Amino acid sequence: MKKLYWTISVGIWIVFLVSDSKGYVLSGKKWPSPSASFYVQVTNGPSGDWDTPFTNAMAKWSNNTIFKYSVAGSTSWDPCSNPNSSAKNGTKFSDTVCGNAWGATTLGTTISWNNSQKIYVQAGIVFNSKFTWGVYDGPWETASLVNVADFQRVALHELGHAIGLQHEDRVPAIMETAVTTGTTIIDPQPDDINGVEAIYGVSGTFSNTVFVPIVLSAAGLNNSFFTSELSVANRGSTNAKLDFEYTATFGQGSGTVTDSLPAGQQRIVKDAIAYLRLLGLSIPTSGSQGGTLRVNFSGLSDASDGAVSVRTTTIAPGGRAGLAYAGIPISQGLTTPAYISGLRQNSTDRSNIAVQNVGSSSDGDITLRVTVFSGDVTKPQVNQLPDIVLPPGGFQQISGILGSVSLVNGYVRVERISGTAPYFAYGVINDQANSDGSFVQPILDSSLTGKTGLTLPVVVETSAFSSEIVATNWSSSKKTLDCRFVAAGIQTADATAHFQISINPSEQLILPDFVQYLRTQTVPGIGPKGPAYVGSLFASVASGDLSGVSLAARTSTPGGGGRYGLFYSSVPNGSASTTTAWVYDLQQDAESRSNLAFVNTGEQDGSSSTFQIDLFDGDSGVQVGSFGITLGAGSWAQIGTVLAQYAPGTSQGYAHITLTAGNNPFIVYGVINDGDQPGARTGDGAFLASAP
């Protein structure tokens, strides 16, 4: 049961709540007190009507009345520019804020709405000539005003009739000491004040929508036939309802069907299309079928408790080969330009990209523009492809995108040029011989602004595996990366190899067998081939930032006449996990095994990090294993066949990773391999990124 707590300044209390499904906001409530008033400014709000309890009564606000907002966030309401605006019920907005909107008697609040999933709030108050402000980072978390000296009682207006919440009008004494502001703990009294019931917690269930860019059962090149394995997880404490909205891209059967998922459980279905058909969609049993999927979780104990991932594979000699990707929470849909790097078209590999409209049926069409850039600076080339119009849920793939413009090495930029719905885009690098795929995540054009460091989780040279490095620079200036490769096999005092990588403007370097490349460059510490080199690669810039730079790797092994492998990108400093993370879709059965890997990024200092790993059985939701691991700064470690080692008998599950000691951010990820043990089946791996 989720509990929410709020803090109070003299005469004012503030509550911020968001309903993911209905978009209601409760903000602000006056107490009998010295004169004070407040205003609310909303940006990036949803279209249509929504409710705000502005006074004791629920007041109805709608577009272009007291709150004026736009989905694009280009306009917002300023109470001083329109002080006489009124609600539909005739309630007047206070004129006292005008002329000095942050004046001595005014409480100001700004709410930024992020796709109905999360809000960020800044609240400010000047009282007795003392200004204080705080930030609420939602959803459904603690909201507080800091450094406020005086407090009164807490009261929460009943909102259950608006968003279906349950409330407690009397709570145990221990909850009465849980309302905090900064480090101050206050003891509210369970009284009724002016008819407002004094309560201290709210319990309820929440919803979240996850977008899956593609599920399919379809023929591919070179006699391949791809099917999608679907994993849905509910790590929370309440049973969830699942609504699957399928939009067919090829084939038929669009529609919505429903299932349920008990608390704590993870369900893995080997064929997503067959599963949707079983639930009631009219998807033909023959021919190629595929489309996008929106999974709406409702009844969750927390909005972040639901997760979706997909593994799409084809039969390969001795087993299967393919790739994995996570569903995207709607709030993480893309709205600004993104790049997809690492693409190539040659005798060993081919590359595709795909784009999707992540919006709902009410969001309308979007138009996307795809521009292809040559990564070879000796043969510069820029090709703008015809614009792509996508309806909600729409999908389009551009196969062999580099071959269509006669390039062998390149990257693409995707941008939304019309419409308001979010989008998604990804790349796939397929082996020409065995059709194994590597999933390439998009990188936001703005994501590296101000960043000066990157961590690439792992670089490998063993008897079976090797890593290629892809370094891309789409900026207009040359970038020089100062790099540190930290691995046990490196023959230096600190097991670290130091070197630089310089990337010209618009250049993309694809460096196969990277450790061998370092050897040919006579990098100190890299000895003759033989011992294993496995560790993380850290890159930084001495001046400026990493804007326009992508650093990624593809780690692979020979097989099926080509190579089986997986692709993953670096993590910018400041973006790694800091307290906890989850890894889903772990498997251990006759066909698959899963590994779990950890990196101590060393971003803060040289301290070690200690982690507690709890393993959960996906079929029962019960915790079935637990272990710990300690890593020095900059270190990497992997636990192979993690379920077999620490939760024997568990065929599928997920892991919760908690940092219990240490100051450094960390990266954790999973790899699901074809074969129940090393050397079995194809050995192909699929990368499983962690979730917060």
Side-chain angles (χ1 to χ4, degrees), residues 133-407:
W133 68 289
V135 176
Y136 164 51
D137 182 349
W140 307 100
E141 297 172 348
T142 301
S144 64
L145 289 175
V146 297
N147 298 325
V148 179
D150 301 309
F151 292 88
Q152 289 185 338
R153 300 168 181 175
V154 178
L156 177 64
H157 184 74
E158 168 58 47
L159 192 61
H161 65 284
I163 56 176
L165 298 177
Q166 302 297 317
H167 76 279
E168 300 173 82
D169 57 4
R170 293 293 180 267
V171 292
I174 190 171
M175 286 183 62
E176 295 183 11
T177 63
V179 183
T180 67
T181 177
T183 58
T184 303
I185 297 179
I186 60 174
D187 186 4
Q189 301 177 28
D191 299 334
D192 287 351
I193 302 174
N194 286 358
V196 180
E197 191 172 28
I199 58 177
Y200 309 95
V202 177
S203 63
T205 58
F206 310 94
S207 62
N208 192 19
T209 300
V210 176
F211 180 83
V212 178
I214 187 69
V215 292
L216 52 80
S217 176
L221 295 178
N222 299 339
N223 298 315
S224 58
F225 193 91
F226 292 92
T227 55
S228 295
E229 175 184 275
L230 179 69
S231 172
V232 289
N234 171 15
R235 72 190 192 203
S237 58
T238 56
N239 297 337
K241 176 187 175 185
L242 307 180
D243 293 310
F244 297 95
E245 182 181 345
Y246 175 70
T247 302
T249 297
F250 45 90
Q252 302 172 9
S254 297
T256 301
V257 288
T258 299
D259 204 349
S260 60
L261 187 60
Q265 293 190 15
Q266 174 177 268
R267 179 176 300 138
I268 299 177
V269 293
K270 294 299 182 181
D271 187 332
I273 296 295
Y275 173 63
L276 295 173
R277 188 186 298 121
L278 181 66
L279 292 179
L281 290 184
S282 299
I283 303 175
T285 57
S286 61
S288 292
Q289 310 291 332
T292 63
L293 188 66
R294 288 170 64 95
V295 184
N296 182 65
F297 293 82
S298 56
L300 294 170
S301 54
D302 188 273
S304 63
D305 286 340
V308 184
S309 57
V310 175
R311 185 168 59 141
T312 294
T313 61
T314 183
I315 294 175
R320 300 191 71 86
L323 48 82
Y325 42 96
I328 307 106
I330 296 299
S331 62
Q332 296 177 18
L334 307 179
T335 58
T336 58
Y339 284 82
I340 300 170
S341 63
L343 306 180
R344 74 288 306 274
Q345 187 78 31
N346 51 43
S347 61
T348 59
D349 294 299
R350 63 185 185 272
S351 298
N352 311 324
I353 74 154
V355 292
Q356 304 86 36
N357 181 337
V358 176
S360 65
S361 58
S362 62
D363 288 330
D365 294 354
I366 58 173
T367 301
L368 299 178
R369 179 165 294 165
V370 177
T371 305
V372 185
F373 297 85
S374 170
D376 184 349
V377 293
T378 67
K379 299 177 181 178
Q381 186 174 322
V382 178
N383 296 88
Q384 182 179 303
L385 304 185
D387 291 344
I388 299 171
V389 179
L390 293 175
F395 171 102
Q396 184 166 323
Q397 178 170 291
I398 305 174
S399 300
I401 186 168
L402 295 189
S404 67
V405 292
S406 301
L407 293 177

Side-chain angles (χ1 to χ4, degrees), residues 412-433:
V412 304
R413 172 185 167 100
V414 182
E415 57 189 317
R416 187 185 67 186
I417 62 172
S418 70
T420 59
Y423 75 95
F424 191 69
Y426 65 86
V428 175
I429 304 168
N430 286 107
D431 187 278
Q432 295 279 33

Side-chain angles (χ1 to χ4, degrees), residues 506-594:
S506 302
E507 185 175 27
Q508 177 167 273
L509 299 174
I510 299 178
L511 305 173
D513 200 352
F514 185 68
V515 175
Q516 178 60 31
Y517 167 80
L518 297 181
R519 192 174 288 119
T520 62
Q521 299 297 307
T522 64
V523 172
I526 304 297
K529 196 167 185 176
Y533 293 90
V534 185
S536 299
L537 177 62
F538 304 91
S540 61
V541 287
S543 61
D545 63 13
L546 287 161
S547 295
V549 172
S550 166
L551 187 64
R554 186 168 64 148
T555 294
S556 61
T557 187
R563 297 190 71 86
Y564 295 121
L566 67 165
F567 190 96
Y568 44 93
S569 296
S570 56
V571 178
N573 285 5
S575 301
S577 301
T578 56
T579 56
T580 185
W582 300 77
V583 177
Y584 300 101
D585 203 17
L586 302 177
Q587 299 184 41
Q588 183 68 54
D589 55 29
E591 295 185 353
S592 304
R593 69 185 185 279
S594 295

